[in-house]
Amino acid sequence: MSSDDCYDKAVDLLARRPHFQRELERKLSARGFGSDEIEAACERLTARGLLDDLEGARGLAAGAWRRRGYGPLKIRAELRRRGVADEVIDTIVREGADSEVERAEEVARRWQSRSDRGRDALARHLTGKGYSGETIYEVLSRLDS
């Protein structure tokens, strides 16, 4: 197989859904392409703006924050699971830090509107969504006042 075949397969995979570089490398390797072919294909894709882990991570994080109410710990874990580099993950989490408490408060208010369980259950819910203890404490304090 040639590097052009590898590139074509990578484009085909990206056309189906966005991938992070590490995900794409794994899939191409599983299809029998060598590391040199994969590296060349990823370089071409990056140069053409078709493969960008930072923008992909921004999109995933925005969706996870907006639709699922996930906090930074859960987003960090998901990005790490997909093979995103630590420096990209740190950038994404830093970018969302300013509104973390507000997002957590919104998640808490939505949860409270559907549940009459107490503060402990709410704290567990926020923990499961990926918010830190400090953020949860701040949200509970805001809701109490």
Side-chain angles (χ1 to χ4, degrees):
M1 289 185 262
S2 72
S3 62
D4 286 339
D5 292 336
C6 184
Y7 177 81
D8 291 343
K9 185 59 183 176
V11 169
D12 180 54
L13 290 168
L14 288 171
R16 295 169 194 229
R17 75 164 180 84
H19 287 72
F20 293 106
Q21 183 169 336
R22 186 69 195 119
E23 289 178 306
L24 196 57
E25 289 170 349
R26 280 187 226 135
K27 286 185 177 184
L28 293 171
S29 178
R31 285 169 172 77
F33 293 104
S35 60
D36 291 341
E37 296 166 319
I38 294 170
E39 184 178 335
C42 287
E43 286 175 8
R44 281 176 66 188
L45 291 165
T46 300
R48 293 190 171 136
L50 299 173
L51 184 62
D52 185 340
D53 279 2
L54 182 58
E55 285 306 310
R58 280 186 179 127
L60 186 137
W65 280 324
R66 191 173 42 255
R67 288 188 303 275
R68 295 187 178 103
Y70 287 171
L73 300 175
K74 190 116 176 178
I75 291 169
R76 181 180 292 278
E78 177 62 19
L79 291 172
R80 186 168 285 131
R81 184 184 71 77
R82 292 181 178 223
V84 177
D86 286 339
E87 57 270 7
V88 171
I89 295 171
D90 291 342
T91 299
I92 296 303
V93 171
R94 224 180 3 262
E95 287 175 355
D98 293 342
S99 57
E100 178 182 347
V101 173
E102 289 77 19
R103 280 193 313 273
E105 186 174 358
E106 181 182 322
V107 169
R109 289 187 189 283
R110 275 192 316 226
W111 186 84
Q112 283 184 319
S113 72
R114 295 185 313 261
S115 176
D116 60 350
R117 298 186 329 204
R119 288 170 46 97
D120 290 344
L122 174 57
R124 284 190 302 275
H125 176 71
L126 291 173
T127 298
K129 288 286 188 178
Y131 292 97
S132 69
E134 182 179 318
T135 298
I136 294 168
Y137 179 79
E138 176 67 27
V139 167
L140 293 175
S141 296
R142 285 183 179 194
L143 294 175
D144 286 344
S145 58

